[in-house]
């Protein structure tokens, strides 16, 4: 067991050294740090417990998250929330799910685009994804937080740049058996799930499937416009993700 653990650590270390992705890993670190010190994690004693903690969480999300009904009022503070919301998460599951997808797909996209271009791409596409959701729900007063719109854009760019990359997926309806498929099979299937879920979504709290669709479209179109006519990179790395409905 010890030997296997050391081998696994060695493989991860070798991968990180061979594929530096400071922007991707930096975003993951910032999102995790922000969550841990925020009232959303429940770990910071400064926010108390019980009703006091719930009140602090609500105020936190309203301050840093996107509220569609306020976004188009011309308020400079509200106009910045599609950026701040990218680093705010509502629960441990929300955070870990998003960071898993970003870790798996972000490094290769960053390596292909370059660090500065990738950072601008991530922030801009994430902003547009949340803006698109807010425009479609302009009367909603529900707070929207999370990096999933930007991460969906990373998935869209990944699909265009690395369509033949093998993705190990876990599908719930197949008893979570690990199966390997090309990205051009897995990611369109994920988009189809988002589309179906978006059609059934309500105005209430939940997953912002429309933001996923907008982000994915922005990411794919950007990669198509920016890199069309160029030879695509044939990926040699195995990626892994879960076949669920949200990044």
């Amino acid at each position: 067991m010890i030997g296997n653990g050391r081998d696994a650590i060695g493989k991860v270390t070798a991968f990180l050294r061979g594929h530096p992705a400071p922007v991707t890993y930096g975003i993951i670190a910032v999102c995790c740090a922000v969550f841990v010190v925020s009232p959303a994690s429940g770990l910071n004693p400064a926010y108390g417990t019980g009703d006091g903690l719930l009140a602090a969480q609500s105020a936190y999300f309203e301050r840093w998250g996107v509220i569609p009904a306020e976004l188009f009022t011309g308020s400079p503070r509200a106009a910045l929330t599609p950026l701040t919301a990218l680093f705010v998460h509502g629960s441990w599951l929300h955070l870990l799910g998003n960071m898993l997808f970003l870790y798996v797909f972000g490094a290769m996209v960053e390596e292909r685009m370059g660090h500065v271009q990738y950072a601008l791409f991530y922030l801009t596409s994430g902003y547009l994804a949340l803006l698109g959701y807010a425009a479609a729900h302009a009367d909603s007063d529900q707070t929207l937080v999370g990096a999933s719109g930007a991460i969906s854009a990373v998935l869209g760019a990944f699909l265009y740049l690395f369509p033949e990359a093998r993705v190990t997926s876990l599908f719930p309806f197949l008893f979570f058996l690990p199966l390997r498929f090309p990205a051009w099979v897995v990611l369109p299937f994920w988009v189809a799930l988002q589309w179906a879920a978006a059609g059934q979504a309500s105005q209430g709290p939940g997953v912002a499937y429309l933001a996923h669709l907008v982000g994915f479209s922005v990411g794919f179109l950007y990669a198509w416009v920016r890199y069309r006519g160029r030879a695509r990179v044939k990926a040699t790395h195995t990626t892994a993700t879960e076949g669920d409905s949200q990044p």
Side-chain angles (χ1 to χ4, degrees), residues 121 125-126 148-158 212 215-220:
F121 162 78
S125 58
S148 56
I151 297 171
S152 296
V154 172
L155 300 186
F158 187 96
H212 298 175
F216 187 92
S217 300
V218 169
F220 185 88

Side-chain angles (χ1 to χ4, degrees), residues 121-160:
F121 162 78
Y122 182 91
L123 295 174
T124 302
S125 58
Y127 190 102
L128 293 176
L130 297 182
L131 186 67
Y133 178 91
H137 302 85
D139 296 329
S140 174
D141 59 357
Q142 297 292 338
T143 306
L144 181 65
V145 297
S148 56
I151 297 171
S152 296
V154 172
L155 300 186
F158 187 96
L159 175 60
Y160 183 82

Side-chain angles (χ1 to χ4, degrees), residues 40-218:
S41 69
L43 298 178
N44 192 334
Y47 295 106
T49 59
D51 292 340
L53 177 60
L54 292 177
Q57 290 174 344
S58 179
Y60 173 71
F61 295 138
E62 289 179 2
R63 179 176 182 181
W64 302 110
V66 177
I67 301 177
E70 298 180 1
L71 185 58
F72 302 103
T73 61
S75 166
R77 188 200 67 80
L80 288 176
T81 56
L83 286 179
T84 59
L86 296 177
F87 300 93
V88 177
H89 291 83
S91 67
W92 284 99
L93 183 61
H94 188 201
L95 172 72
L96 296 177
N98 276 349
M99 295 305 99
L100 171 63
F101 271 77
L102 181 57
Y103 176 79
V104 167
F105 292 99
M108 291 176 64
V109 175
E110 179 179 351
E111 184 180 22
R112 181 71 174 91
M113 290 186 176
H115 307 313
V116 175
Q117 183 181 152
Y118 173 79
L120 294 174
F121 162 78
Y122 182 91
L123 295 174
T124 302
S125 58
Y127 190 102
L128 293 176
L130 297 182
L131 186 67
Y133 178 91
H137 302 85
D139 296 329
S140 174
D141 59 357
Q142 297 292 338
T143 306
L144 181 65
V145 297
S148 56
I151 297 171
S152 296
V154 172
L155 300 186
F158 187 96
L159 175 60
Y160 183 82
L161 296 172
F162 309 102
E164 297 181 4
R166 306 294 291 186
V167 179
T168 301
S169 304
L170 302 177
F171 295 96
F173 54 85
L174 294 178
F175 304 102
F176 294 96
L177 293 176
L179 301 174
R180 296 184 66 198
F181 296 100
W184 64 265
V185 172
V186 175
L187 293 179
F189 177 75
W190 176 85
V191 171
L193 291 178
Q194 306 306 298
W195 184 273
Q200 300 175 1
S202 66
Q203 292 276 65
V207 180
Y209 296 105
L210 180 59
H212 298 175
L213 293 172
V214 173
F216 187 92
S217 300
V218 169

